[in-house]
């Protein structure tokens, strides 16, 4: 059973989420503040976290940082905050997705399913497990990236995005396809997610992120990996 940790201080929303998740055979734990959330996450080891940013005891971004110190569990932010810099702050801290309140339960569940899919093992063709460039190496089997002598820490979303690109070298992967595969949505207004995550991947992997050699943007169309 997939376990979900709901971190939210609105009792009505918590109740609605628990009912909808349990009806779809998810196991659910709930926390109404950040300290309880961090304690529950360590004790229950959820498969995915739904996190409100406006908690009574600490900012949700601090909860993300606390979780990312020891786990790569997918984190979906649920928040009424709509400013793009707040969204970027949450994504930069290690969140995998950002759902603005009020939201459709169907859309949230689609995003949740996509987040869980990202953590599942994908069978790889023999010989397709190692991608080597002059600057970094991607081990698809071990889900590990190495640059120089150091491991590169990637969030589940960053990894899934990178995996799709490097397994189809030289091929243009459309924005719509990436949004559907990584976030479970295909709306064109979510392309800002791709920009944020591609920028993060370039910062972590490219020698000159402003002039990428490997992670190439095809303006208005999508992205491709040049090995």
């Amino acid at each position: 059973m997939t376990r979900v940790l709901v971190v939210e201080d609105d009792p009505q929303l918590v109740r609605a989420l628990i009912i909808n998740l349990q009806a779809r055979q998810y196991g659910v734990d709930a926390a109404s503040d950040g300290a309880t959330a961090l304690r529950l996450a360590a004790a229950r080891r959820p498969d995915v976290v739904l996190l409100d940013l406006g908690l009574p005891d600490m900012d949700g971004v601090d909860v993300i940082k606390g979780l990312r110190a020891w786990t790569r569990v997918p984190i979906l932010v649920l928040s009424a905050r709509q400013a793009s810099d707040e969204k970027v702050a949450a994504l930069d801290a290690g969140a995998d997705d950002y759902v603005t309140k009020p939201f459709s339960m169907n859309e949230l569940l689609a995003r949740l399913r996509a987040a869980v899919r990202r953590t599942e093992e994908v069978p790889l063709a023999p010989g397709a497990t190692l991608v080597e460039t002059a600057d970094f190496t991607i081990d698809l089997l071990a889900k590990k990236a190495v640059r120089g002598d150091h491991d590169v820490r990637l969030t589940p979303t960053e990894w899934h995005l990178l995996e799709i690109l490097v397994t189809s070298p030289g091929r243009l992967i459309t924005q719509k396809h990436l949004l559907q595969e990584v976030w479970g949505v295909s709306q064109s207004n979510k392309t800002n997610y791709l920009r944020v995550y591609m920028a993060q991947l370039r910062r972590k992997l490219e020698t000159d992120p402003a002039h990428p050699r490997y992670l190439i943007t095809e303006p208005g169309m999508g992205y491709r990996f040049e090995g």
Side-chain angles (χ1 to χ4, degrees):
M1 180 186 285
T2 301
R3 294 212 67 81
V4 182
L5 174 58
V6 175
V7 187
E8 169 64 62
D9 64 342
D10 178 346
Q12 221 171 342
L13 180 54
V14 171
R15 198 157 50 246
L17 287 168
I18 290 174
I19 290 168
N20 277 277
L21 290 166
Q22 288 182 339
R24 289 159 179 85
Q25 309 306 310
Y26 290 99
V28 187
D29 295 301
S32 59
D33 59 65
T36 305
L38 292 171
R39 194 164 59 248
L40 266 179
R44 303 286 285 170
R45 301 293 170 128
D47 299 295
V48 61
V49 176
L50 300 180
L51 172 68
D52 179 29
L53 290 184
L55 298 170
D57 61 337
M58 66 173 77
D59 193 274
V61 171
D62 293 323
V63 177
I64 296 170
K65 290 175 181 174
L67 289 170
R68 282 290 170 256
W70 63 272
T71 179
R72 296 179 67 225
V73 63
I75 301 171
L76 277 69
V77 167
L78 313 177
S79 182
R81 302 177 189 176
Q82 299 193 20
S84 61
D85 58 339
E86 302 222 37
K87 292 184 181 182
V88 170
L91 295 171
D92 274 344
D96 294 274
D97 203 351
Y98 195 109
V99 183
T100 305
K101 296 177 182 177
F103 51 81
S104 140
M105 192 62 70
N106 283 339
E107 181 185 356
L108 175 65
L109 291 167
R111 305 272 196 98
L112 182 71
R113 288 191 296 272
V116 172
R117 271 203 312 275
R118 289 197 288 275
T119 65
E120 292 170 350
E121 293 295 330
V122 179
L124 297 165
T129 61
L130 205 62
V131 178
E132 297 181 282
T133 73
D135 296 304
F136 57 85
T137 302
I138 308 294
D139 185 334
L140 294 165
L141 204 56
K143 292 189 177 293
K144 185 176 171 184
V146 177
R147 183 179 174 193
D149 297 323
H150 303 288
D151 288 354
V152 179
R153 291 185 64 178
L154 299 175
T155 68
T157 298
E158 289 168 351
W159 177 263
H160 193 47
L161 188 55
L162 181 63
E163 192 175 43
I164 293 169
L165 291 167
V166 301
T167 50
S168 299
R171 180 181 154 210
L172 170 68
I173 311 295
T174 65
Q175 293 176 344
K176 182 177 179 180
H177 179 78
L178 288 169
L179 287 166
Q180 187 66 53
E181 285 296 310
V182 179
W183 285 279
V185 294
S186 55
Q187 296 99 316
S188 58
N189 65 346
K190 306 295 183 188
T191 54
N192 59 313
Y193 286 6
L194 287 173
R195 284 195 297 274
V196 168
Y197 277 99
M198 289 304 293
Q200 288 178 179
L201 282 172
R202 286 171 179 145
R203 278 202 301 273
K204 292 179 178 183
L205 297 172
E206 298 273 6
T207 303
D208 183 359
H211 302 92
R213 175 180 170 185
Y214 305 102
L215 302 169
I216 310 299
T217 302
E218 295 289 353
M221 294 188 291
Y223 300 89
R224 61 188 163 82
F225 172 72
E226 291 293 347

